[in-house]
Amino acid sequence: MASKGLPPPRAKYHEERIREIFTQIDATGDGVLSFLEIKRGLDENDIDWTVCGLDPEKIKRSIFKAADANGDKMLSFDEFWRFALAHGKGHGVDPVMDAHAYLTENKIIAILEAMTAALMVAKPEDPKAFLAEKLKELKASGAPVLAFSDEELVTMFSMFDPTGVGRISSKQCNKALEVLTGHSGTVGVGGAMADTAAPVTKEDFVGHAKGALVEFCS
């Protein structure tokens, strides 16, 4: 039965792990493994077969019989790779994907984006103390890191309204929302009544910002 392939990027990660072991065993560097090279690799303790999920005690008698597809008594990397996938263990664990799942489950990216936006708005004299206090609030109440007051949102608005006219463009509004939440705003985008040129007032911005914070940072 043919071994089932691994989807990218997992396949690339495991290919590199298995190729590392293959290169260590390939003493002659000719790109194929002889029986002698395999035997030496199994007998020597400096090769960690578990990197590619293989138990050396279980494969001594089976690797050539099971892996040598063309019967030339040599193993190419492709043959060794297929054997490792079919007989190895632990190929379902990819630290990159595992870390991504952890970050997503615990909303770490959203928290970091929120903390960055909070710093930009508040501009505290002691950024470290400010961030520590925000994290304490998050831990104590479970409230979003970006619990901005209307006044703080107005401060953000003024950053995009340097002339003080009291209105900004939809493009500026969306950029401000991206700074706040890490996600692009959609004010004036899409729909038959969309108007990207329509001005956004201070009051409009506060409303858009609160909605975006609830959607992305709560």
Side-chain angles (χ1 to χ4, degrees):
M1 181 178 178
S3 59
K4 186 177 180 181
L6 297 168
R10 182 173 292 160
K12 185 64 178 177
Y13 167 73
H14 289 288
E15 177 185 346
E16 290 174 354
R17 294 172 71 206
I18 294 172
R19 190 178 293 279
E20 177 185 342
I21 298 301
F22 182 89
T23 302
Q24 286 182 265
I25 301 171
D26 184 16
T28 61
D30 58 0
V32 292
L33 302 182
S34 66
F35 177 80
L36 182 58
E37 286 173 323
I38 291 286
K39 186 177 185 303
R40 286 175 178 171
L42 291 168
D43 292 340
E44 294 175 1
N45 294 324
D46 58 342
I47 293 180
D48 185 4
W49 288 81
T50 60
V51 169
C52 53
L54 295 171
D55 181 346
E57 294 302 320
K58 294 182 179 180
I59 65 174
K60 285 183 178 179
R61 297 180 180 179
S62 62
I63 186 167
F64 266 93
K65 181 178 180 180
D68 186 16
N70 59 13
D72 63 355
K73 305 302 181 184
M74 305 288 282
L75 293 187
S76 66
F77 174 73
D78 286 341
E79 289 174 324
F80 186 73
W81 156 259
R82 286 193 294 269
F83 179 83
L85 288 186
H87 299 273
K89 296 181 180 179
H91 295 299
V93 181
D94 183 335
V96 174
M97 297 181 73
D98 189 49
H100 183 270
Y102 172 81
L103 293 174
T104 301
E105 181 181 352
N106 293 281
K107 299 184 178 180
I108 303 299
I109 301 300
I111 290 174
L112 293 177
E113 290 172 344
M115 299 286 266
T116 301
L119 280 174
M120 292 182 64
V121 173
K123 296 183 176 65
E125 292 185 5
D126 188 342
K128 292 181 180 179
F130 175 83
L131 292 174
E133 186 60 32
K134 283 288 185 181
L135 287 174
K136 286 181 182 178
E137 294 174 4
L138 178 65
K139 182 178 180 180
S141 64
V145 174
L146 289 184
F148 285 129
S149 66
D150 286 7
E151 182 180 355
E152 289 171 324
L153 293 176
V154 168
T155 299
M156 171 61 79
F157 176 86
S158 67
M159 293 169 60
F160 289 83
D161 179 27
T163 59
V165 297
R167 60 183 180 275
I168 58 178
S169 67
S170 295
K171 183 177 181 180
Q172 289 173 309
C173 178
N174 289 332
K175 184 61 180 178
L177 296 179
E178 184 177 0
V179 171
L180 278 173
T181 67
H183 298 268
S184 299
T186 57
V187 176
V189 178
M193 302 300 292
D195 184 359
T196 56
V200 177
T201 66
K202 187 184 304 181
E203 292 74 18
D204 292 336
F205 175 77
V206 170
H208 290 311
K210 287 182 175 180
L213 291 170
V214 169
E215 181 178 359
F216 296 114
C217 302
S218 60

